[in-house]
Amino acid sequence: MQGTITCADLRILLDRNEPTTLLDVRRADDRAKEPLAIPAAVWHDPAAIDDWSAKLSKEDEIILYCVRGGSVSNLVVDALHAKGFKARFIEGGLEAWKQAGGATEPQP
């Protein structure tokens, strides 16, 4: 499975209501700087992946994002793949999603 998904392909996936888990894995300080998130995304601290990954479903595809789709997303996707999950990250992260006109909402 490839490790990334485009914003356009994510929109299609979400529109089809495919079984998907959407994760915000921005570092806490990056998340505090940007008050918006993709609707339905659940935030998890990337440094605590061993704590929260056990609660994820291996049946659903996991789509995640960080600020720009860089090192944080790569590390989390690699760690999830090593644990047997189907995971991809959004190319360009939250910044690309917003630039593509993707919906955002204030984070909980």
Side-chain angles (χ1 to χ4, degrees):
M1 160 168 277
Q2 76 183 47
T4 64
I5 186 169
T6 66
C7 294
D9 286 342
L10 176 58
R11 276 198 187 132
I12 292 168
L13 192 71
L14 296 175
D15 287 347
R16 290 182 183 161
N17 292 318
E18 298 285 335
T20 305
T21 300
L22 187 59
L23 301 180
D24 175 349
V25 294
R26 293 177 289 166
R27 291 183 182 107
D29 59 333
D30 289 329
R31 189 170 178 258
K33 290 176 193 171
E34 171 55 74
L36 299 175
I38 297 174
V42 176
W43 180 77
H44 287 296
D45 183 348
I49 190 168
D50 288 333
D51 296 334
W52 53 261
S53 63
K55 298 174 185 139
L56 299 174
S57 169
K58 290 191 177 178
E59 301 302 313
D60 295 351
E61 182 172 13
I62 299 167
I63 306 295
L64 57 93
Y65 65 90
C66 63
V67 177
R68 286 178 287 288
S71 60
V72 174
S73 289
N74 279 297
L75 290 172
V76 174
V77 163
D78 289 348
L80 291 175
H81 284 174
K83 295 174 181 290
F85 292 97
K86 301 176 283 189
R88 295 190 278 173
F89 68 89
I90 301 172
E91 293 176 8
L94 181 61
E95 291 301 315
W97 178 255
K98 291 188 309 186
Q99 288 177 358
T104 57
E105 64 185 16
Q107 42 186 329

